[in-house]
Amino acid sequence: MRSETVMLTAVVLGFCTTTAVLGLVNHLLPSGGQIKVVLVAGSNTYDNFRHQADVCHAYQILHNNGIPDENIIVMMYDDIANNTENPEPGVIINRPGGPNVYKNVPKDYTGKDVNKANFLNVLRGNKEVMKNIGTGRVLESGPNDHVFVNFVDHGGPGVLLMPEEEIMASELIDVLKSMSDKSRFAKMFMYIEACESGSIFDDLLPDNLNIFVMTAADPHESSYACFYDEKFQTYLGDVFSVEWMQDSETEDLRLESVNHQFQKVRTETNTSHVEEYGDIDIGITKMSEVIGYQRTPMERYSLQYNDAVPGHHVPVAILGQRIKQAKDSEEKTKLQRKLRDIMEGRKMVEQTFIKLLRSVIPSSENHQLFLQTNQRPDLTKKNVGCFEKILTQITKKCFSISQNPFAASHLHKIINLCNMVPELTLMEKVIHTCSGKPTLQGVV
């Protein structure tokens, strides 16, 4: 393990407040290091309100904990606060009756600048490439710093999604390895809110890089949205995110370790299995050396989310709620038509995967093998290369996963096929399956 001398710098993507300078000295490490944070809300559209709400809330915590804005990078599409569907322009809340977490959030990268290349270049500290894009700020961290990264968006087996492209597991792992090799931090902590987020790191992230990762879900399950609000007509938060943030606001972070927060959040998050990856030994680090601290924590507030739904079910659940709230038959009919369109789009995605599966494994020849493709296999060092090549081919020939997030819930079938048949055969079948088909877009 590296030296304990650490500098903490915060890069926040998608958060909402200015930094408190007074008392900052209380949040410097004993060695003189600093905390540096990157916060990313990787989605857009009003249905995904909760992702930017999570990130804005995270920013407010960091700001109130004394992390200066110059140590925080925020990446968020910024199409929610003043969206025409938002009943309170300029307001984003993360729980019912909660405060406006959008207020004063500095935004380094918004709109089309929220993309894979920019996110990875921010982590790499690639200042030259980021010049003239957004604020141009990148993670400028060194061997004495602690880095905290919070990424919130859709995901699937082996992928994190951005508005128009996918971040492959190997792409993120390669950047993390490079950062470690170049001594870009003393310790790094990542909190990932996404479906199947554990698949990005399980068996793929080495445990000797001084990187601790906490994920909202294990490799085979969805993360969950919560707090449907009748006024905002959307889900305000995600279960894992609101749990770790409540703990961060109400505990004395000078006494609480990362390990303790993990155990607490894992217990309180009853919708999915919160997991830890990487170098879990550095979990003994106090939370105050990861996200700063307040001398007087908040009183614990109530979190009740009996309405939690899997991330991939959110668009359908929102429409179901809006149909119930519809004020007249005309509005109800319009919403029902929109719901039918979504279900038809999902059916087209499912049919594409079924056609691919049948082309590789005709059910008449091996019905049992065909059924096995619905199992949830592990993404490993052995099959990740095949999986990512086939996924790239699917996004070129069939449809973008990031622009059709529902499709991410079917990617385990590709891992299964990679375990069953040669990569070249699978590649040919993808081309044949999707040739001449219109490109799908907007299947949520």
Side-chain angles (χ1 to χ4, degrees):
M1 214 185 285
R2 297 191 201 129
S3 167
E4 289 297 311
T5 41
V6 176
M7 225 181 181
L8 278 158
T9 304
V11 181
V12 180
L13 297 167
F15 222 87
C16 321
T17 297
T18 317
T19 300
V21 177
L22 293 176
L24 178 61
V25 67
N26 296 328
H27 308 290
L28 295 176
L29 300 177
S31 61
Q34 294 185 35
I35 299 171
K36 301 195 173 181
V37 180
V38 178
L39 299 180
V40 183
S43 67
N44 58 0
T45 76
Y46 193 76
D47 276 1
N48 293 314
F49 183 105
R50 65 196 186 279
H51 295 152
Q52 293 181 48
D54 291 340
V55 166
C56 287
H57 189 181
Y59 167 79
Q60 301 296 349
I61 291 171
L62 292 164
H63 169 74
N64 292 332
N65 285 358
I67 308 299
D69 280 2
E70 56 264 31
N71 283 18
I72 299 175
I73 296 171
V74 178
M75 180 178 283
M76 59 185 279
Y77 213 87
D78 198 25
D79 61 338
I80 300 302
N82 294 296
N83 193 290
T84 54
E85 293 187 64
N86 191 333
E88 291 191 39
V91 173
I92 295 178
I93 59 176
N94 198 211
R95 67 177 190 272
N100 179 12
V101 293
Y102 185 70
K103 187 177 180 182
N104 297 326
V105 176
K107 294 171 284 291
D108 294 280
Y109 301 98
T110 60
K112 296 289 186 180
D113 291 339
V114 179
N115 60 54
K116 174 172 72 174
N118 289 347
F119 171 51
L120 297 181
N121 279 319
V122 165
L123 291 182
R124 291 187 186 105
N126 199 334
K127 238 177 166 179
E128 189 60 33
V129 171
M130 295 304 294
K131 193 180 294 182
N132 300 321
I133 300 174
T135 63
R137 297 177 62 226
V138 298
L139 182 60
E140 298 186 69
S141 56
N144 294 325
D145 293 333
H146 283 181
V147 171
F148 175 68
V149 176
N150 180 209
F151 184 99
V152 182
D153 195 7
H154 295 289
V159 293
L160 296 174
L161 306 187
M162 299 293 271
E164 296 185 2
E165 55 210 332
E166 304 79 29
I167 301 173
M168 305 286 192
S170 66
E171 292 176 310
L172 181 57
I173 298 296
D174 285 349
V175 169
L176 298 181
K177 287 179 179 177
S178 174
M179 292 173 70
S180 177
D181 290 343
K182 295 176 181 178
S183 299
R184 295 283 314 286
F185 53 80
K187 298 177 184 178
M188 184 172 187
F189 301 87
M190 302 185 74
Y191 284 16
I192 309 295
E193 173 73 67
C195 293
E196 286 97 7
S197 42
S199 65
I200 303 293
F201 307 99
D202 189 34
D203 191 57
L204 301 177
L205 178 69
D207 62 4
N208 60 352
L209 303 181
N210 274 22
I211 300 174
F212 179 103
V213 179
M214 196 186 307
T215 63
D218 71 20
H220 310 298
E221 65 186 355
S222 177
S223 60
Y224 278 66
C226 60
F227 301 148
Y228 181 82
D229 188 273
E230 291 190 357
K231 180 178 180 180
F232 284 86
Q233 295 197 323
T234 190
Y235 287 89
L236 305 178
D238 292 287
V239 176
F240 165 70
S241 289
V242 299
E243 286 290 356
W244 81 255
M245 286 190 280
Q246 185 198 54
D247 184 75
S248 298
E249 288 178 315
T250 59
E251 290 291 324
D252 187 337
L253 301 183
R254 294 167 294 182
L255 303 177
E256 183 176 46
S257 68
V258 175
N259 280 336
H260 185 262
Q261 180 169 92
F262 166 73
Q263 292 297 341
K264 239 178 126 179
V265 173
R266 183 184 173 91
T267 300
E268 296 293 331
T269 303
N270 56 19
T271 51
S272 61
H273 296 86
V274 175
E275 299 290 353
E276 58 183 346
Y277 300 98
D279 186 352
I280 60 177
D281 289 342
I282 65 172
I284 62 173
T285 306
K286 297 302 182 188
M287 286 300 301
S288 59
E289 297 185 5
V290 179
I291 59 172
Y293 71 94
Q294 292 191 66
R295 293 185 178 277
T296 306
M298 291 172 54
E299 290 294 322
R300 194 167 181 83
Y301 45 87
S302 175
L303 289 180
Q304 295 182 356
Y305 39 80
N306 299 326
D307 61 348
V309 297
H312 64 81
H313 188 62
V314 166
V316 173
I318 287 176
L319 280 173
Q321 293 282 1
R322 290 184 179 181
I323 289 170
K324 288 180 187 176
Q325 291 177 244
K327 296 174 183 176
D328 53 56
S329 59
E330 184 179 351
E331 182 185 1
K332 188 173 184 178
T333 300
K334 183 179 178 182
L335 292 167
Q336 288 172 330
R337 189 179 302 119
K338 188 174 181 182
L339 180 57
R340 279 197 303 272
D341 290 344
I342 286 179
M343 300 312 293
E344 286 175 8
R346 290 185 170 203
K347 188 175 180 179
M348 290 174 70
V349 168
E350 289 172 341
Q351 288 174 339
T352 300
F353 279 102
I354 289 172
K355 184 178 177 182
L356 174 61
L357 293 175
R358 293 200 183 282
S359 70
V360 177
I361 310 168
S363 57
S364 58
E365 293 181 14
N366 195 331
H367 182 65
Q368 189 59 37
L369 200 60
F370 183 81
L371 292 177
Q372 285 178 16
T373 59
N374 282 317
Q375 295 178 356
R376 302 265 171 182
D378 291 330
L379 190 66
T380 65
K381 293 183 182 74
K382 186 176 179 180
N383 59 28
V384 67
C386 169
F387 170 76
E388 293 185 349
K389 287 176 186 175
I390 300 304
L391 182 57
T392 299
Q393 195 73 358
I394 287 173
T395 60
K396 288 180 179 178
K397 302 295 183 180
C398 304
F399 43 72
S400 161
I401 304 299
S402 62
Q403 294 179 19
N404 300 280
F406 172 72
S409 64
H410 290 272
L411 295 183
H412 60 281
K413 296 170 183 174
I414 304 304
I415 304 175
N416 276 315
L417 290 177
C418 281
N419 291 338
M420 293 176 179
V421 298
E423 180 184 306
L424 185 58
T425 300
L426 198 47
M427 194 80 74
E428 292 171 351
K429 296 298 185 182
V430 170
I431 295 172
H432 180 263
T433 297
C434 293
S435 60
K437 277 183 169 287
T439 303
L440 292 175
Q441 192 166 348
V443 181
V444 294

